[in-house]
Amino acid sequence: MDSRRASRAVIDPKVRHVGFVTPNAPPDRAQSFPQESNSSPLSASPASNTLSPVMIPPPRHPSENLTTFRTAAIPVPEQTRLRAESVVFEGSYDPTESLSSSSFQTQSPPASSRLFVDEEFSEESWLHRNNSAKFASSSPAPGCGFNLTSVKEVSGGDSTVISEVKKPAEASANEKNEASNDRSKNALPSGPSSKSLKAKTTKSERRALQESQRAAKAAAKAQGNKPAPAASSKAAKQPSQKKDASIAPPSAAASEKKGTDRPSERERKKDAPAPRMQFDDKSRVEKAKKRALVNQTEARNRVEYFRHLPQYEYGTQLPDLQSKLFQLDPMHPAVHKVGLQYLAGDVTEDNGRCIAMLQAFSEAIRDYTTPDEKVITRDLTAKIGSYVSFLIECRPLSTSMGNAIRFLKSRIVKLPLTLSESEAKASLCSDIDRFINEKIILADKVIVRHATTKIRDGDVILTYGAPSVVEMILTHAHELGKQFRVVIVDSRPNLEGQSLLRRLVTKGLKCTYTHLNAVSYIMHEVSRVFLGASSILSNGIVYSRVGTASVAMVAHAFCVPVLVCCEAYKFHERVQLDSICFNELGDPNDVAKVPGRRDVNYLDSLDKKENLQLLNLMYDATPSDYISMVVTDYGMIPPTSVPVIVREYRQEQLWI
Amino acid sequence: MVGLNLSAVSDDDDDTGPDDHPVLSAAAVAAASRSTLRPPSLQTLLEDMPDSATVPHTSSSGGDSEGKSKSADKSSRSRKLKHDVIEAVNELIQDIDTCHEQITEQAVEHIHHNEVILTLGSSRTVLQFLCAAREKKRSFRVFVAEGAPRYQGHLLAKELVARGLQTTLITDLAVFAMISQVNMVIVGAHAVMANGGVIAPVGLNMVALAAKRHAVPFVVLAGSHNLCPLYPHNPEVLLNELRSPKELLDFGEFSDCMDFRSGLGSPLLHVVNPSFDYVPPKLVSLFITDTGGHNPSYMYRLIADYYSADDLVLQRKAVPSN
């Protein structure tokens, strides 16, 4: 029984479920779950009536798994269910059904592989459990390593598969990967199709391949000290990549305290406010500039209050970065692409950014090869750190992205050393996909379900800032047939409300469109306010798009309830009192120029004046007393309960 | 009266019958014409003039003593009346032009060194107020919120920068974020209601709420001509003007997703673009007028200076045929 389970068993669900939707007894999960042949108590299916708010799977700890997963009691039905309906979302990852099926058929594998298999399997089972039949997810990429692809027999296991699975500790994949290097290279751009091709290799071929790889591996081992798990070079990575990977890590040291070392994670929590650097610290700024991959020129006329935040000349980074696209050795192209998207403003919405980043990392991990003499965990962590600092240079990270990165790093750190590289990468990729699925996609569905209960016929709903969750809520409520009106409050300079308006009007909702200044005028008609958040901090402050605080304040003055819809992975343990200590500065020219209205462009020639400063804040902090309720995937809670969720459900070992 | 070429602009005939009310003095007429919301029909008013004796009602700062005596015959009275009215109107115009001076004299009393001031949109009074303080060598910084959708804040920022003031232009969204750093909010008003509430450019209610939350004084600069004798009742709707939606949305942008011919009935899309906001008196800390600084609760007393009691409610009366 792991420690976390024990503590959870102590928690009285009735007490803890203040604000939660249904108190499904979590102690059920205290049983070793492989023995549970039915998934119903744990299905977090929003479709089911009993919505368990406690969806935390026990941690994947190797030692514990060894003790727990001795039995081969594997819940078969879930897998079949999963296979039957796998919803493939963007990225079109194949579920690791094959893996689970193969593991399912494992008869009597040796302990180490058993370990791996069970862990994989336990992940699947959590995955299945947490994904109800309705929302079955698709899981990790097919590219997640050759073990997968070779293992993957869609039609069910056979002994070769098992033997392959047996071999992970031996890290055979070296030669195997060479042989399939070309295949993997093609695998990069066209994941699923090439994987299905590989699956058609016959058993004997694969066995032969593996034998040769094993032999070569043994030979290689004789020469250098390759640690067992870090052996196999996974493929698709040019050898140059390996070398660059080792160069990139200096960023780890100074990298923004992204927690590259696991012991410092605790401290990093304390500096969690400073993934952004304090930019008035000259020495650190200099150091960062040396490592910078993106050339930034600092803006003139910076506002004094925000000297601790970075402000760059916009428009200068993008062409520079685009020209570097084909030269960037240390940077995986997927990560580079995501960085470009951030810079260009193609991806602005919070969840979208997070998903894009995680998928890029997943691809990068798939293509990663451990350099010689390095341990996969440390090297991969360093690499991820370098990617992160690159992305930060493109656009400062949001809290959700920070949490996702922390999750990934903790996962890397927890990789058991006995895993082969391919398995490690596969498990990481599956972790990432599970994170995306559970924490973002499913969470959104749960939130939608909760929030639509708060919309009644005749309501007038006001929304600001076009958060994707709120759009989903409104659409869903409309589909349920509720009669309500929507007021969309828009803001300059992003004018995000217009696209939301367009989408809602095409769906047939009655909308009113106005700008932020008119919110006092319109508020007397409004019955509910739905807002989104970029993050909710531990003192209950909602950190979201600038202007949200004003909307919440006016709603409060008119006694209109304000509901903030936010996935739980965006919660953070840091605190903040005002909007100045931590923020993001946008392009100041957006303030000066009003697009489409030439008559009001008074400031055309004034950018260079000394006395004039332009301030374009991106975020602000809404005090918690303006918020009536926070709708999360853990239920509907008051904003003061956010630190409870952070503490109880987000401790490191609980990260899936 | 035939000789009068003053056109009756208002649609209701605001005349006070000779039997119920004594005829309005020219001062009162001038004061009535100051009411920005209900311009009286001068022609109708003045038609009643010769029928009754004039009684001087109020002493106004306009000081029209000569309007009190109307003993001459009809034509000379009408001529004198014309003269008085024109003079009163000229005085009013002058009042409006010069109120700034008296207001800005008080600037130095309120702005000290190292202040941070926030304003929204643009107002000539505010501009002159700040410049007066600047001339007295007070060093302060100004945050100007741009004031969508008219973006007058850009103009104000330009002016302030030209005068050498440290200005930061922010979007209206950032007002709540920045107001904790601000010492004072200074704004102009479109009209001041009798209860001390303010009809101000749109967005100022939000600013006032934020200022209240952060305990920042909210100062309204108003000339005496802004004062209105009415108490606001549902002011957001009744005392408001809605402007064209084109300032928010281009006309053509949403034509593809709006389909009126399908007989859905009401259109799916409304665009709301009000020009004014109502700020309740409890959010206002101080009024600075040309007669000095006042509390919102005191403003109703000033009405007596500028409006006759009879003019407070202008009633519809049948026009007596002459």
Side-chain angles (χ1 to χ4, degrees):
Chain A
M1 197 78 142
D2 62 294
S3 58
R4 182 61 201 150
R5 279 205 199 135
S7 60
R8 237 174 341 103
V10 165
I11 295 172
D12 178 9
K14 298 201 177 25
V15 169
R16 282 292 171 177
H17 287 187
V18 168
F20 286 132
V21 173
T22 52
N24 241 1
D28 285 349
R29 305 201 69 206
Q31 320 304 328
S32 55
F33 54 76
Q35 288 153 15
E36 294 173 13
S37 51
N38 56 333
S39 60
S40 47
L42 299 176
S43 87
S45 151
S48 70
N49 287 336
T50 61
L51 189 65
S52 164
V54 182
M55 299 190 322
I56 304 154
R60 277 184 67 217
H61 220 274
S63 55
E64 290 145 6
N65 284 344
L66 272 178
T67 58
T68 341
F69 303 139
R70 267 307 146 200
T71 75
I74 300 160
V76 175
E78 295 159 34
Q79 299 167 40
T80 52
R81 206 180 57 230
L82 176 69
R83 218 177 302 133
E85 54 233 320
S86 60
V87 175
V88 180
F89 60 94
E90 68 236 276
S92 64
Y93 294 133
D94 281 348
T96 51
E97 311 158 332
S98 51
L99 186 60
S100 51
S101 65
S102 67
S103 59
F104 165 49
Q105 293 173 28
T106 305
Q107 303 301 328
S108 55
S112 56
S113 65
R114 178 53 171 292
L115 165 68
F116 163 72
V117 160
D118 283 334
E119 282 181 0
E120 284 301 317
F121 178 69
S122 55
E123 290 173 30
E124 310 322 318
S125 59
W126 295 332
L127 190 60
H128 308 208
R129 204 161 281 118
N130 289 331
N131 312 334
S132 73
K134 204 170 174 188
F135 303 107
S137 70
S138 57
S139 36
C144 267
F146 273 89
N147 262 354
L148 258 195
T149 62
S150 48
V151 158
K152 170 182 168 155
E153 289 285 273
V154 181
S155 49
D158 56 300
S159 51
T160 321
V161 168
I162 294 168
S163 63
E164 301 240 345
V165 166
K166 272 192 215 176
K167 300 295 185 298
E170 303 190 2
S172 52
N174 238 346
E175 293 65 25
K176 178 174 27 171
N177 291 336
E178 280 172 19
S180 37
N181 241 348
D182 327 61
R183 268 187 292 165
S184 65
K185 279 196 190 108
N186 302 336
L188 263 191
S190 58
S193 51
S194 54
K195 294 305 173 284
S196 52
L197 284 174
K198 283 178 216 114
K200 297 201 180 101
T201 56
T202 66
K203 286 188 223 172
S204 46
E205 276 174 22
R206 273 183 279 108
R207 184 175 285 154
L209 198 55
Q210 191 178 5
E211 290 292 322
S212 56
Q213 283 165 3
R214 228 181 314 148
K217 175 67 182 155
K221 236 184 198 171
Q223 300 170 6
N225 315 325
K226 270 217 187 150
S232 61
S233 65
K234 211 19 164 194
K237 233 10 180 189
Q238 304 73 9
S240 62
Q241 168 101 12
K242 280 195 256 178
K243 309 215 172 37
D244 291 326
S246 42
I247 298 174
S251 62
S255 107
E256 316 293 336
K257 303 202 174 42
K258 254 333 188 168
T260 53
D261 312 312
R262 82 205 78 141
S264 67
E265 269 179 348
R266 285 271 156 193
E267 285 87 296
R268 201 176 42 75
K269 272 193 199 134
K270 277 199 239 141
D271 332 297
R276 90 236 175 248
M277 247 171 19
Q278 301 292 352
F279 273 78
D280 43 1
D281 183 350
K282 285 244 180 323
S283 59
R284 302 244 309 271
V285 172
E286 289 307 315
K287 252 201 256 172
K289 275 204 186 146
K290 285 194 211 129
R291 290 183 286 106
L293 290 164
V294 181
N295 291 332
Q296 316 250 29
T297 53
E298 291 206 358
R300 292 169 296 251
N301 284 354
R302 301 172 55 145
V303 183
E304 279 301 306
Y305 290 108
F306 294 97
R307 256 197 304 166
H308 61 289
L309 295 176
Q311 169 131 37
Y312 298 117
E313 290 278 341
Y314 275 71
T316 54
Q317 310 137 329
L318 194 56
D320 186 49
L321 210 53
Q322 278 173 336
S323 66
K324 281 197 190 161
L325 178 61
F326 298 104
Q327 312 164 12
L328 280 190
D329 302 321
M331 198 58 50
H332 189 274
V335 177
H336 192 78
K337 174 175 150 209
V338 166
L340 278 180
Q341 283 176 335
Y342 289 171
L343 260 188
D346 289 340
V347 184
T348 51
E349 205 262 324
D350 218 10
N351 282 342
R353 282 171 69 195
C354 193
I355 291 180
M357 177 188 78
L358 283 176
Q359 287 175 346
F361 283 168
S362 181
E363 252 192 70
I365 288 178
R366 255 186 294 139
D367 301 335
Y368 168 76
T369 21
T370 316
D372 299 345
E373 326 249 339
K374 291 218 190 261
V375 182
I376 181 173
T377 51
R378 293 212 193 94
D379 191 54
L380 191 56
T381 310
K383 205 143 175 103
I384 298 283
S386 72
Y387 292 160
V388 167
S389 41
F390 167 73
L391 287 180
I392 290 178
E393 286 161 19
C394 296
R395 189 171 161 188
L397 292 184
S398 62
T399 311
S400 54
M401 292 164 68
N403 286 343
I405 290 168
R406 264 203 295 177
F407 158 76
L408 181 60
K409 288 191 172 170
S410 74
R411 267 285 154 262
I412 294 177
V413 150
K414 290 215 170 76
L415 284 176
L417 292 174
T418 48
L419 281 191
S420 80
E421 179 177 321
S422 54
E423 287 157 0
K425 298 195 317 186
S427 90
L428 283 179
C429 290
S430 83
D431 280 340
I432 289 179
D433 285 305
R434 206 175 47 199
F435 182 90
I436 291 179
N437 206 51
E438 286 181 13
K439 296 291 182 185
I440 304 181
I441 306 210
L442 272 190
D444 279 349
K445 293 187 167 125
V446 173
I447 291 176
V448 164
R449 223 176 87 98
H450 284 321
T452 44
T453 60
K454 293 296 172 193
I455 300 181
R456 303 164 303 185
D457 284 345
D459 263 353
V460 180
I461 313 275
L462 185 142
T463 178
Y464 172 76
S468 60
V469 187
V470 174
E471 185 182 342
M472 286 194 256
I473 293 170
L474 296 174
T475 317
H476 188 244
H478 186 69
E479 282 160 16
L480 290 180
K482 305 202 181 192
Q483 302 295 317
F484 60 98
R485 273 203 301 132
V486 179
V487 178
I488 297 175
V489 178
D490 201 3
S491 66
R492 222 174 71 79
N494 300 322
L495 291 178
E496 302 159 323
Q498 288 193 2
S499 49
L500 174 66
L501 176 67
R502 177 178 298 278
R503 289 193 291 271
L504 291 182
V505 169
T506 44
K507 292 202 172 88
L509 281 110
K510 291 201 271 293
C511 300
T512 304
Y513 177 81
T514 181
H515 60 102
L516 182 79
N517 280 346
V519 74
S520 311
Y521 173 82
I522 203 88
M523 192 59 74
H524 66 273
E525 300 178 357
V526 171
S527 61
R528 297 255 193 280
V529 176
F530 277 76
L531 299 172
S534 165
S535 159
I536 304 192
L537 308 177
S538 282
N539 56 342
I541 296 253
V542 174
Y543 183 75
S544 55
R545 178 67 51 196
V546 66
T548 310
S550 305
V551 172
M553 172 183 68
V554 176
H556 182 80
F558 282 79
C559 300
V560 173
V562 176
L563 287 81
V564 173
C565 306
C566 175
E567 300 87 353
Y569 85 104
K570 291 181 176 166
F571 293 174
H572 204 283
E573 61 266 2
R574 70 180 174 89
V575 293
Q576 186 174 332
L577 288 173
D578 60 14
S579 317
I580 298 182
C581 302
F582 182 51
N583 212 315
E584 188 183 327
L585 295 177
D587 186 359
N589 286 327
D590 285 342
V591 178
K593 298 197 181 355
V594 183
R597 306 258 317 265
R598 263 178 297 131
D599 53 322
V600 295
N601 275 334
Y602 307 116
L603 286 178
D604 283 338
S605 57
L606 280 189
D607 312 333
K608 317 290 184 266
K609 281 267 171 126
E610 286 307 311
N611 290 333
L612 179 65
Q613 290 159 348
L614 300 165
L615 178 61
N616 186 5
L617 284 181
M618 307 286 281
Y619 291 100
D620 70 6
T622 307
S624 58
D625 43 344
Y626 291 152
I627 311 292
S628 315
M629 188 161 77
V630 179
V631 185
T632 76
D633 42 332
Y634 289 113
M636 297 191 270
I637 59 172
T640 48
S641 294
V642 164
V644 173
I645 293 211
V646 169
R647 179 194 154 99
E648 298 297 334
Y649 297 117
R650 289 255 312 266
Q651 293 175 15
E652 286 308 312
Q653 59 266 36
L654 289 189
W655 270 114
I656 311 185
Chain B
M1 300 297 286
V2 183
L4 284 174
N5 288 331
L6 298 161
S7 55
V9 256
S10 100
D11 39 0
D12 28 59
D13 293 344
D14 299 321
D15 58 333
T16 60
D19 37 355
D20 293 343
H21 300 274
V23 150
L24 305 164
S25 68
V29 165
S33 69
R34 285 182 210 173
S35 162
T36 55
L37 299 169
R38 301 266 297 263
S41 159
L42 277 180
Q43 179 163 14
T44 342
L45 278 171
L46 298 168
E47 272 176 9
D48 302 326
M49 285 291 306
D51 289 310
S52 46
T54 54
V55 173
H57 270 281
T58 62
S59 61
S60 78
S61 59
D64 300 301
S65 47
E66 60 272 11
K68 297 190 175 84
S69 55
K70 297 276 190 296
S71 47
D73 63 1
K74 208 172 186 183
S75 59
S76 69
R77 250 188 298 153
S78 68
R79 231 180 327 178
K80 190 150 200 317
L81 179 62
K82 260 209 283 191
H83 169 78
D84 292 338
V85 168
I86 292 172
E87 218 180 276
V89 171
N90 284 336
E91 272 185 30
L92 180 59
I93 293 173
Q94 212 180 8
D95 262 357
I96 297 176
D97 282 339
T98 60
C99 72
H100 295 131
E101 286 163 12
Q102 281 156 322
I103 292 178
T104 54
E105 276 168 14
Q106 309 170 53
V108 192
E109 298 169 12
H110 296 284
I111 301 181
H112 53 80
H113 280 285
N114 298 331
E115 276 233 22
V116 182
I117 295 178
L118 175 80
T119 184
L120 186 141
S122 171
S123 156
R124 196 156 58 110
T125 324
V126 172
L127 174 62
Q128 297 196 357
F129 194 82
L130 296 177
C131 296
R134 173 91 178 128
E135 276 157 30
K136 297 281 177 3
K137 306 292 182 241
R138 297 288 160 94
S139 66
F140 57 97
R141 316 182 50 226
V142 184
F143 280 94
V144 180
E146 57 184 5
R150 297 181 66 196
Y151 302 106
Q152 303 270 334
H154 292 219
L155 271 178
L156 180 66
K158 197 166 165 180
E159 295 284 320
L160 290 175
V161 164
R163 285 168 172 74
L165 275 171
Q166 270 282 47
T167 316
T168 305
L169 182 66
I170 62 176
T171 49
D172 315 312
L173 326 166
V175 164
F176 191 89
M178 298 310 299
I179 202 159
S180 53
Q181 308 295 321
V182 164
N183 293 129
M184 192 187 314
V185 178
I186 300 183
V187 296
H190 176 76
V192 178
M193 312 304 292
N195 66 342
V198 182
I199 305 289
V202 69
L204 277 173
N205 188 31
M206 196 177 68
V207 176
L209 285 169
K212 183 83 174 181
R213 157 90 185 192
H214 292 91
V216 175
F218 187 83
V219 174
V220 177
L221 308 180
S224 49
H225 61 280
N226 285 127
L227 189 59
C228 170
L230 298 180
Y231 277 81
H233 179 69
N234 201 3
E236 292 97 350
V237 179
L238 296 181
L239 299 178
N240 215 330
E241 244 177 53
L242 293 181
R243 298 160 63 89
S244 164
K246 74 167 167 61
E247 292 170 356
L248 301 183
L249 278 186
D250 279 340
F251 278 127
E253 255 177 38
F254 282 81
S255 50
D256 55 334
C257 52
M258 299 201 339
D259 189 2
F260 287 97
R261 74 187 151 76
S262 58
L264 291 174
S266 58
L268 292 177
L269 176 60
H270 289 274
V271 179
V272 174
N273 188 7
S275 21
F276 296 119
D277 242 355
Y278 171 69
V279 181
K282 61 181 180 349
L283 298 179
V284 179
S285 312
L286 186 69
F287 281 100
I288 296 184
T289 68
D290 42 356
T291 50
H294 306 291
N295 225 22
S297 53
Y298 180 74
M299 296 311 277
Y300 75 99
R301 297 306 280 177
L302 297 179
I303 298 174
D305 286 348
Y306 304 113
Y307 292 93
S308 111
D310 308 317
D311 278 339
L312 294 184
V313 180
L314 300 175
Q315 289 175 5
R316 182 183 294 265
K317 272 264 161 64
V319 176
S321 54
N322 293 336

